[in-house]
Coordinates of all heavy atoms in Angstrom, one line a residue:
M296 N 112.9 109.9 103.0 CA 114.0 109.9 104.0 C 113.6 109.0 105.2 O 112.4 109.1 105.6 CB 114.3 111.3 104.5 CG 114.7 112.2 103.4 SD 116.3 111.9 102.7 CE 116.2 112.8 101.3
F338 N 113.5 116.9 112.1 CA 113.4 116.5 110.7 C 113.2 117.7 109.8 O 113.9 117.8 108.8 CB 112.3 115.5 110.5 CG 112.4 114.8 109.2 CD1 113.2 113.7 109.1 CD2 111.7 115.2 108.1 CE1 113.3 113.0 107.8 CE2 111.8 114.6 106.8 CZ 112.6 113.5 106.7
V339 N 112.4 118.7 110.3 CA 112.3 119.9 109.5 C 113.6 120.6 109.4 O 113.9 121.2 108.3 CB 111.1 120.8 110.1 CG1 111.1 122.2 109.5 CG2 109.8 120.1 109.9
I340 N 114.4 120.7 110.5 CA 115.7 121.3 110.4 C 116.6 120.6 109.4 O 117.3 121.2 108.6 CB 116.3 121.3 111.8 CG1 115.5 122.3 112.7 CG2 117.8 121.7 111.7 CD1 115.9 122.2 114.2
A341 N 116.5 119.2 109.4 CA 117.3 118.5 108.4 C 116.9 118.8 107.0 O 117.7 118.9 106.1 CB 117.2 117.0 108.7
M342 N 115.6 118.9 106.8 CA 115.1 119.2 105.4 C 115.5 120.6 105.0 O 115.7 120.8 103.8 CB 113.5 119.1 105.4 CG 113.1 117.6 105.4 SD 113.6 116.6 104.1 CE 115.1 115.8 104.8
E343 N 115.6 121.5 106.0 CA 116.1 122.8 105.6 C 117.6 122.7 105.1 O 118.0 123.4 104.2 CB 116.1 123.7 106.9 CG 116.6 125.1 106.6 CD 115.7 125.9 105.6 OE1 114.5 125.6 105.4 OE2 116.2 126.9 105.0
G344 N 118.3 121.8 105.7 CA 119.7 121.5 105.3 C 119.7 121.0 103.8 O 120.5 121.4 103.0
L345 N 118.8 120.1 103.5 CA 118.7 119.5 102.2 C 118.3 120.6 101.2 O 118.9 120.8 100.1 CB 117.6 118.4 102.1 CG 117.3 117.8 100.7 CD1 118.6 117.2 100.1 CD2 116.2 116.8 100.7
S346 N 117.4 121.5 101.6 CA 117.0 122.6 100.7 C 118.2 123.5 100.4 O 118.4 123.9 99.3 CB 115.9 123.4 101.4 OG 115.5 124.5 100.6
C347 N 119.0 123.8 101.5 CA 120.2 124.7 101.3 C 121.2 124.0 100.3 O 121.8 124.7 99.5 CB 120.8 125.0 102.6 SG 119.8 126.2 103.6
L348 N 121.3 122.7 100.5 CA 122.3 122.0 99.6 C 121.8 122.0 98.2 O 122.6 122.2 97.3 CB 122.4 120.5 100.1 CG 123.4 119.7 99.5 CD1 124.8 120.2 99.8 CD2 123.3 118.2 100.1
I349 N 120.5 121.8 97.9 CA 120.0 121.9 96.6 C 120.2 123.3 96.0 O 120.6 123.4 94.8 CB 118.5 121.4 96.5 CG1 118.4 119.9 96.9 CG2 117.9 121.7 95.1 CD1 117.0 119.4 97.1
K350 N 119.8 124.3 96.8 CA 120.0 125.7 96.3 C 121.4 126.0 95.9 O 121.7 126.6 94.9 CB 119.5 126.7 97.4 CG 118.0 126.7 97.5 CD 117.6 127.6 98.7 CE 116.2 127.6 99.0 NZ 115.8 128.4 100.1
K351 N 122.4 125.5 96.7 CA 123.8 125.7 96.5 C 124.2 125.0 95.2 O 124.9 125.6 94.4 CB 124.6 125.3 97.6 CG 126.1 125.6 97.5 CD 126.9 125.4 98.7 CE 128.3 125.9 98.5 NZ 129.1 125.7 99.7
A352 N 123.7 123.8 95.0 CA 124.0 123.0 93.8 C 123.5 123.8 92.5 O 124.1 123.8 91.5 CB 123.5 121.6 93.9
V353 N 122.3 124.4 92.7 CA 121.7 125.1 91.6 C 122.5 126.3 91.3 O 122.8 126.6 90.1 CB 120.2 125.4 91.9 CG1 119.6 126.4 90.8 CG2 119.3 124.2 91.9
R354 N 122.9 127.1 92.3 CA 123.7 128.3 92.1 C 125.0 128.0 91.4 O 125.5 128.8 90.6 CB 123.9 129.0 93.4 CG 122.7 129.9 93.9 CD 123.1 130.8 95.0 NE 123.8 130.1 96.1 CZ 123.1 129.6 97.2 NH1 121.8 129.6 97.2 NH2 123.8 129.0 98.2
S371 N 113.5 124.0 91.6 CA 114.4 122.9 91.8 C 113.9 121.9 92.8 O 114.2 120.7 92.7 CB 115.8 123.4 92.2 OG 115.7 124.1 93.5
H372 N 113.1 122.3 93.7 CA 112.6 121.4 94.7 C 111.4 121.9 95.5 O 111.2 123.2 95.6 CB 113.6 120.9 95.7 CG 114.2 122.1 96.5 ND1 115.0 123.1 96.0 CD2 114.1 122.4 97.8 CE1 115.3 123.9 96.9 NE2 114.8 123.5 98.0
L373 N 110.5 121.0 95.9 CA 109.4 121.4 96.8 C 109.5 120.4 98.0 O 109.6 119.2 97.8 CB 108.1 121.2 96.1 CG 107.8 122.0 94.8 CD1 106.6 121.5 94.1 CD2 107.7 123.5 95.2
L374 N 109.4 120.9 99.2 CA 109.5 120.0 100.4 C 108.3 120.3 101.2 O 107.8 121.4 101.4 CB 110.7 120.4 101.2 CG 112.1 120.3 100.5 CD1 113.2 120.8 101.4 CD2 112.4 118.9 100.1
A379 N 109.6 115.1 99.4 CA 110.4 116.0 98.6 C 110.1 115.7 97.1 O 110.0 114.5 96.7 CB 111.9 115.8 98.9
I381 N 111.9 116.8 93.7 CA 113.1 117.5 93.1 C 112.9 117.6 91.6 O 112.5 116.6 91.0 CB 114.4 116.7 93.5 CG1 114.5 116.6 95.0 CG2 115.6 117.4 92.9 CD1 115.7 115.8 95.5
L396 N 124.4 114.5 95.1 CA 123.9 115.4 96.1 C 123.1 114.7 97.3 O 123.4 115.0 98.4 CB 122.9 116.4 95.4 CG 122.4 117.6 96.2 CD1 122.3 118.8 95.3 CD2 121.0 117.3 96.6
L397 N 122.3 113.8 96.9 CA 121.5 113.0 97.9 C 122.5 112.1 98.7 O 122.3 112.0 99.9 CB 120.4 112.2 97.3 CG 119.3 113.0 96.6 CD1 118.3 112.1 95.9 CD2 118.6 113.8 97.7
F400 N 124.1 114.4 101.2 CA 123.2 114.8 102.3 C 123.0 113.6 103.3 O 123.0 113.8 104.5 CB 121.8 115.1 101.7 CG 120.8 115.4 102.7 CD1 120.8 116.5 103.5 CD2 119.8 114.5 103.0 CE1 119.9 116.8 104.5 CE2 118.8 114.7 103.9 CZ 118.9 115.9 104.7

Side-chain angles (χ1 to χ4, degrees):
M296 303 288 164
F338 196 84
V339 168
I340 292 169
M342 289 299 94
E343 183 65 22
L345 176 61
S346 182
C347 290
L348 189 62
I349 294 171
K350 287 177 186 176
K351 186 171 184 175
V353 169
R354 278 194 308 272
S371 59
H372 62 289
L373 302 170
L374 302 174
I381 301 175
L396 184 141
L397 292 173
F400 177 72

